Amino acid sequence: MLARSLLVLLLAAAAPALAEEPPKEPVPAGEQAKAPEAAAEKPKGPVLAELMKQSGYVYAWQSMVAGETLPQWVGDYVKTLDGPPIPTISVPLDGETYTLGFTCKANACETDQLYVLFGPGARDAWGLLVGGGGLIWLGKPDERIQQAILSVLE
C-alpha cells in the first residue's frame, strides 16, 4: 500500500511536467548524431479521458463496470472526464501491448484511485479500485491480468 501511495504521489507531482512538452530546439549540425538518443525516449500515451472519448474504450469500460457498485466519484469522472492529466502507459503481456490508465478522486488522490488496463484494440478492460474498502477488482480479471496491473504499481 505504501508503494502505491508513493507512486500516486510521484505521478501527481509529475503530472504538470508530464502534461507539458518542453520546447524543441534545433539540433546543431555537429550534434546530429545525438538526436536518435533523444528520439528513443518512450512516447507518452494519451490520458485516460482521451481514451474514454473513443467508442471502443467506452464499450470496454462499460463491460468492465457492468453490475458493479462504484463510488460516486467514479460516476462523476465518467460524466465529466475531469481527472489528473497522467499519461497512460504500455504494459507488455503475452506478446501484446496493453494500456494502463489512471484516475483518482478529486482532492483525495492519495486514497481513492482507479487503475484501468485495456486489452489490445480496447477489446477488454479490467480495473483495480483502491480506496477505503481496500482493493476491488473490476471486470473479473484473471491472475495474469491482476499481476500485470500490480506489477506496474510496485
Side-chain angles (χ1 to χ4, degrees):
M1 186 64 148
L2 178 60
R4 277 188 222 104
S5 296
L6 291 174
L7 174 67
V8 170
L9 290 174
L10 176 65
L11 291 174
L18 293 174
E20 300 175 10
E21 287 193 31
K24 296 185 179 186
E25 298 178 17
V27 178
E31 295 184 22
Q32 288 179 353
K34 295 180 183 177
E37 289 178 15
E41 291 179 18
K42 281 190 169 184
K44 297 174 188 129
V47 298
L48 182 58
E50 289 300 314
L51 295 181
M52 293 298 293
K53 293 176 184 176
Q54 300 175 35
S55 60
Y57 289 94
V58 171
Y59 179 77
W61 173 284
Q62 290 171 338
S63 296
M64 174 186 75
V65 299
E68 301 283 354
T69 302
L70 301 171
Q72 179 64 40
W73 72 264
V74 176
D76 293 344
Y77 173 76
V78 172
K79 290 176 190 167
T80 64
L81 298 179
D82 186 20
I86 298 179
T88 57
I89 60 171
S90 297
V91 178
L93 181 63
D94 299 334
E96 296 186 283
T97 302
Y98 290 64
T99 302
L100 184 69
F102 170 81
T103 193
C104 59
K105 181 178 181 180
N107 302 314
C109 221
E110 303 81 31
T111 57
D112 295 294
Q113 307 151 9
L114 176 60
Y115 300 88
V116 181
L117 184 68
F118 291 99
R123 64 179 180 236
D124 294 298
W126 306 271
L128 174 59
L129 189 59
V130 179
L135 302 179
I136 300 171
W137 292 102
L138 305 172
K140 299 178 180 67
D142 61 25
E143 183 67 25
R144 77 186 170 84
I145 295 293
Q146 290 180 13
Q147 288 305 314
I149 295 170
L150 292 173
S151 70
V152 174
L153 304 181
E154 294 176 348

